[in-house]
Amino acid sequence: MIRSMEKIESGEDFTTEEHYLMSRKPINDYMPSDFFSRQALELTFRLLHNNHPLLAHAVKQTIDSTTAVSFEDLQSAYTGEMLLNKDVLKSLKAHTIGKIVAVLTAIGEEALKQHNLPPSHMTLLRSLIEDWVTLTEWVLQHTAADTGDRTAYH
């Protein structure tokens, strides 16, 4: 992943295998979905640090303060450093995760309009956005609804 981040910064192309390895999507669909890739956080930080420094700082704090899941606990389901979704949520909060998804989506939309990223980089960005959306879905599934909220949304 680090080499892949260097490729992004230098403008190099990726192989199909590199794209697949960078995604946190496992080879088999039966793998648990309670993990988030540290590499996805690192790439997100690199993409956000120039134009969205506050979000980048929040991501960097998560990288620095969240402990990776032990290899034994992963049961070799993933090869990279993985973090528990609940730890990422505890550090970033749902609102910040939503903002990250929105900003990454805007970056992707702008790149599509400008045609300024090679297809391999667009594939990488799409995979990163999918990882964040998967985390968002996990947050929605694992966060208790506020039953005391009587706000009417019209």
Side-chain angles (χ1 to χ4, degrees), residues 73-91:
D73 290 340
L74 288 174
Q75 300 172 350
S76 58
Y78 300 95
T79 57
E81 284 187 82
M82 301 300 288
L83 309 173
L84 287 172
N85 286 350
K86 67 179 182 144
D87 293 342
V88 174
L89 174 61
K90 183 177 178 182
S91 179

Side-chain angles (χ1 to χ4, degrees), residues 52 55 96-109 129 132:
H52 303 278
L55 283 177
T96 304
I97 292 170
K99 284 187 174 190
I100 291 169
V101 171
V103 168
L104 291 175
T105 301
I107 290 170
E109 288 173 347
I129 293 168
W132 281 100

